[in-house]
Amino acid sequence: MPDAMSLSPSAAQAGASPLRTAVSLLSDPAEAVAELAAELRHGSLGFVLFFCSVEYPLEALSHALRSAFEGLPVAGCTTAGEITPAGYARGGIVAIGFDRRHFVPATALVERLEAFDLPRAQRLVDDLLGRCRERALAPLAGNSFVVTLLDGLSSSEESVIATLDAALGSIPSFGGSAGDDNRLARTHVFCDGRFHAEAAVVLLVNTPLPFEVFSTHHLRPRHEKLVVTGVDRESRRVLELNAAPAVAAYAQLVGQPESRLGPELFARHPLAVRIGDHYYVRSIQRANEDGSLSFYCAVENGIVLTAMACAPIHDDLAQTLAGLEGRLGATELVIGCDCFLRRLELEVLGQEAEVSDLLSRRRVIGFNTYGEQYHGMHINQTFTGVAIGTARPDDAA
C-alpha cells in the first residue's frame, strides 16, 4: 500500500484545480488535519468534504477539523477504506477542497431517520435550494447534484433515500453509507462541526462545470433463482429461501458448507433483484446461528433473488471511467462510493493493486461504503459517484 509521502499531491497540481485533494495517514488527529489543511487551504476555499477511518478518536478529530477550517462548511463520514490520490488506503483521512469560484454548496443534517417523511424532506430540499439560489453560479436546474452520506448501520437507507429523491425531483443524487472498517459496530457522519450516529448528511452542490452522476457494477445474472419465503423486514433478516432455512439454501446454491459462509463468499456470490431490465444487488452481511441471513439492503417477502456471477471489476470500471471522460472531456475529479465488498473481492483475487492504480490515474477520490445510493435507490456492490469535468476559461470569477 502507498505510504504517507507518496499519497501527498503536488502543490502545483492542487493549485491549478478548482478541486484540491489531500490525504494523511498520520494517526494523531491534530497532525492529520494539519496535513490536510496545508494542502487544501487557499483564499477561495469554500467547502471541505472528507472520508476518514474510525481508527481516529472522533471527538479529537472533530475539534481538529473545527479549528483548521473555522468558518467553512465541512462534511464527511467514516469509512471501510479510503480512495486517495494514490488509490486505495486504510487507516487515514482523505479530503476534497471545493473552490467557491466554481462550487456553491449547501449542507443539511438529518436526524431521527425513522421519522424522515415527505413533508420533512420537502422542507429540507427547499431550504438547500434557497441557500444555493442566493449564491448560484449557474441555474439550479441542470447544474446541481446531491451527495448523501448515511449511517451505514441504521437500516433506514431505503426509506430516507426514496423520500429524499421524491422531494429532489429532477436533481440527480448519489451517495454512500458510512463504514467502520468492517467492524459492523457503529458508523458516523460529520456535519455542523461534529460526528453523528443514526443520522444522514445531504449536500447540494451547484456548479457551472460539466458533471455526470453514474453507477456501475461488474455482476452478470445466472439462471439460478431464490425466492424469499420468510423475512424479518425490520432487521433485514431473511429466514427462508425457497421454503428452506436461508443459510442452508444459500450454501447449496454456492456449493459450499454452511461453516464456510462469510464475507469473502458473499462478495463472490451475490444475489440481486431484477427491476425492469436492471439487476440491483442485495448483499449478504452475515450468516446467523439460527439459520437466517442478514442483508445490507431491505428485503421483502416474495421477492425473487437472482444469483449473480462476477465479471472482472477492473475491466468494467475502466470502461465506465473512460466513457465518462469521453462524454465530459478531461475530468477534474471523480468522487466515488465503492462498496467494501468489491474491495474485499479484489483482495481475495489479488487484484487490488491493479484497480488501485486505475483509480489513481483516473483521479478518483472517495471511500469504501456499506452500501451506495443512486437516484433514490439503496444498492450494494456498485461503484457509484459523480464525475466533474474541467473548467472553461470563463468559469472562474
Side-chain angles (χ1 to χ4, degrees):
M1 298 305 294
D3 60 24
M5 290 195 59
S6 69
L7 288 170
S8 181
S10 72
Q13 281 183 319
S17 174
L19 289 161
R20 298 192 183 190
T21 61
V23 63
S24 179
L25 295 181
L26 298 174
S27 59
D28 180 85
E31 294 177 357
V33 172
E35 190 170 22
L36 298 183
E39 295 284 354
L40 298 182
R41 273 285 191 184
H42 63 94
S44 297
L45 179 62
F47 174 73
V48 175
L49 178 65
F50 75 89
F51 311 109
C52 72
S53 168
V54 291
E55 292 180 16
Y56 288 106
L58 298 185
E59 185 58 41
L61 186 60
S62 296
H63 176 75
L65 288 165
R66 290 194 300 269
S67 299
F69 300 108
E70 185 177 2
L72 291 174
V74 179
C77 69
T78 57
T79 76
E82 299 80 54
I83 305 174
T84 77
Y88 284 132
R90 277 202 175 89
I93 178 169
V94 61
I96 306 165
F98 292 73
D99 190 316
R100 64 169 177 262
R101 294 170 296 180
H102 299 272
F103 300 93
V104 174
T107 60
L109 177 69
V110 180
E111 297 182 288
R112 296 193 307 114
L113 298 179
E114 72 285 351
F116 190 68
D117 55 14
L118 188 56
R120 190 176 167 197
Q122 195 62 65
R123 289 193 297 271
L124 180 147
V125 170
D126 289 346
D127 175 64
L128 292 175
L129 290 171
R131 284 190 276 147
C132 270
R133 190 175 290 112
E134 292 174 357
R135 299 172 291 131
L137 299 172
L140 294 184
N143 297 283
S144 305
F145 61 87
V146 163
V147 184
T148 52
L149 304 174
L150 280 82
D151 182 329
L153 300 175
S154 68
S155 299
S156 299
E157 292 101 323
E158 285 83 11
S159 60
V160 170
I161 293 303
T163 303
L164 179 64
D165 188 66
L168 287 172
S170 62
I171 299 174
S173 65
F174 79 96
S177 298
D180 64 350
D181 290 334
N182 305 356
R183 300 171 187 173
L184 301 177
R186 197 164 178 83
T187 65
H188 297 79
V189 298
F190 183 92
C191 189
D192 298 337
R194 65 186 183 92
F195 284 94
H196 308 261
E198 300 181 9
V201 174
V202 182
L203 165 64
L204 176 66
V205 179
N206 173 254
T207 179
L209 273 60
F211 65 83
E212 182 178 332
V213 172
F214 68 94
S215 183
T216 187
H217 65 75
H218 64 301
L219 305 171
R220 307 294 181 262
R222 293 164 41 183
H223 68 275
E224 298 95 335
K225 310 286 184 184
L226 293 172
V227 180
V228 177
T229 52
V231 67
D232 181 344
R233 292 179 65 252
E234 294 300 316
S235 63
R236 294 177 173 172
R237 198 160 50 92
V238 172
L239 310 177
E240 291 184 352
L241 292 167
N242 292 352
V247 166
Y250 180 80
Q252 182 179 14
L253 173 74
V254 301
Q256 296 289 339
E258 295 179 20
S259 60
R260 288 204 57 199
L261 299 188
E264 294 181 4
L265 270 173
F266 298 148
R268 293 288 296 152
H269 300 279
L271 304 172
V273 60
R274 181 176 178 177
I275 301 176
D277 294 329
H278 300 282
Y279 289 86
Y280 298 94
V281 175
R282 296 291 180 260
S283 292
I284 300 170
Q285 184 183 104
R286 61 178 175 268
N288 302 309
E289 292 184 1
D290 63 0
S292 66
L293 291 170
S294 294
F295 281 69
Y296 282 102
C297 271
V299 281
E300 302 284 346
N301 203 43
I303 65 170
V304 178
L305 296 172
T306 299
M308 305 292 283
C310 296
I313 288 179
H314 179 278
D315 294 352
D316 174 79
L317 189 55
Q319 182 178 3
T320 297
L321 295 174
L324 289 165
E325 189 163 302
R327 293 187 293 276
L328 292 172
T331 53
E332 287 286 353
L333 199 69
V334 177
I335 303 174
C337 301
D338 186 24
C339 183
F340 86 101
L341 290 170
R342 289 165 53 92
R343 184 165 175 180
L344 178 59
E345 180 183 338
L346 292 171
E347 291 171 350
V348 170
L349 296 175
Q351 299 171 358
E352 184 183 19
E354 181 184 21
V355 173
S356 184
D357 179 66
L358 171 65
L359 295 171
S360 177
R361 286 187 287 106
R362 291 295 188 176
R363 293 183 52 78
V364 178
I365 296 292
F367 72 110
N368 295 113
T369 76
Y370 280 174
E372 304 78 60
Q373 297 103 44
Y374 179 67
H375 289 315
M377 295 192 67
H378 180 218
I379 48 184
N380 293 132
Q381 279 178 263
T382 74
F383 183 88
T384 297
V386 62
I388 302 173
T390 56
R392 296 177 292 269
D394 59 348
D395 280 335

